[in-house]
Amino acid sequence: MTVQAYYRNEHGEDPVLLQNPSDVDALIDDLLVIDPSRNLAALHSMERPLMPAGVPDHELLVGIDGEAQVGVLAFMDDGNWVSFDPSTGRGEVPYFIMGNITEFPSHSEVPIPLVRQAVKEFLSSGGQRPECTQWQEPEFW
């Protein structure tokens, strides 16, 4: 199984490849210490088909807030889903992919170990929405 990860400008032409759990840990560790304006990664499984336009039929967004020690997940294919933890709630929270902001709804931040588990499940399942976390349908997106 292989997943392409994009979170730095140079990844547009040369994405990071995730092929095993240690690659996932390296990605999360990098997002933990990276500049906060680049703390969100877009992931695409190479196991899923491309749409007729040549773009992936899905996407998993993975964000890490190293200061708050939490993260977010968003999964898109036939619908949009955002991670959910009813015990958290800083309000809408911003994460950044290559300097561009994405705001996540309240209660979308989850513990970092759960983010790691979800990305590993995404990798091992061939790009399916991880089942290890609760999901919510965002009101906007």
Side-chain angles (χ1 to χ4, degrees):
M1 303 286 177
T2 301
V3 168
Q4 294 178 323
Y6 303 86
Y7 58 101
R8 293 186 178 168
N9 292 335
E10 61 267 23
H11 295 156
E13 297 296 322
D14 188 23
V16 172
L17 297 180
L18 310 177
Q19 297 178 312
N20 56 58
S22 62
D23 292 341
V24 171
D25 287 332
L27 167 71
I28 301 301
D29 292 345
D30 198 18
L31 291 173
L32 270 166
V33 298
I34 203 166
D35 176 344
S37 70
R38 293 180 287 158
N39 64 355
L40 183 65
L43 308 180
H44 303 118
S45 174
M46 301 298 292
E47 311 310 314
R48 290 188 51 163
L50 296 176
M51 296 192 316
V55 297
D57 72 340
H58 69 289
E59 183 169 73
L60 177 67
L61 295 177
V62 179
I64 299 291
D65 183 330
E67 186 175 316
Q69 290 292 297
V70 292
V72 292
L73 299 160
F75 184 81
M76 291 147 281
D77 64 1
D78 289 337
N80 295 326
W81 302 92
V82 178
S83 49
F84 179 68
D85 184 344
S87 67
T88 65
R90 292 194 294 167
E92 290 183 6
V93 288
Y95 284 78
F96 299 87
I97 186 164
M98 295 182 248
N100 296 308
I101 190 170
T102 301
E103 291 194 7
F104 287 79
S106 183
H107 303 289
S108 59
E109 291 179 304
V110 297
I112 292 172
L114 185 56
V115 174
R116 286 182 194 275
Q117 182 181 352
V119 177
K120 290 174 184 176
E121 185 179 332
F122 177 76
L123 172 66
S124 68
S125 71
Q128 299 305 306
R129 180 165 47 115
E131 296 180 1
C132 63
T133 187
Q134 292 182 20
W135 296 94
Q136 62 182 315
E137 289 186 76
E139 292 180 26
F140 60 93
W141 279 30

